[in-house]
């Protein structure tokens, strides 16, 4: 799913390794009756179309979880993942933005699933649901952690 690199900011690179896993933190409020909602992969307005993930080739799910909860202070019920091939299956791309120099501090091995080209909320929901289904089949990679 390689795209025109001109849409990338200086320092961003598209992740092309189809087998690379992308860790995603599961907010506890997204777990209902033991199932994770599609909010897991649906961008919010503050995300500006960039759903945060962490590259598994660079950090373990435990390290990603520890940084998210211990350093950043965010809640997480645990870690799910999708791989880059699955992101491409829903016609999205995965972008590593660790080298972007814009003054924002990023977690180690930070990347994002790029929803910026998806304008329709319905289309975002459909793709997010498909990604959640794929992640759910892989199961918890770390956790779920009782809060």
């Amino acid at each position: 799913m390689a795209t025109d690199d001109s849409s990338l900011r200086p320092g961003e690179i598209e992740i092309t390794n189809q087998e690379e896993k992308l860790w995603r933190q599961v907010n506890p409020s997204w777990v209902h009756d033991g199932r994770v909602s599609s909010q897991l992969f649906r961008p919010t307005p503050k995300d500006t179309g960039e759903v945060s993930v962490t590259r598994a080739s660079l950090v373990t799910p435990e390290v990603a979880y520890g940084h998210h909860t211990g350093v950043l202070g965010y809640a997480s019920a645990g870690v799910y993942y999708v791989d880059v091939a699955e992101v491409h299956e829903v016609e999205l791309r995965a972008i590593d933005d660790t080298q972007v120099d814009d003054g924002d501090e990023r977690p180690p091995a930070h990347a994002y699933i790029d929803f910026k080209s998806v304008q329709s909320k319905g289309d975002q929901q459909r793709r997010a649901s498909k990604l959640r289904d794929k992640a759910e089949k892989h199961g918890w990679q770390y956790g779920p952690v009782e809060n």
Side-chain angles (χ1 to χ4, degrees), residues 5-19:
D5 284 348
S6 67
S7 66
L8 299 177
R9 294 176 292 202
E12 288 184 333
I13 58 166
E14 184 168 353
I15 303 167
T16 57
N17 178 353
Q18 299 292 299
E19 296 175 2

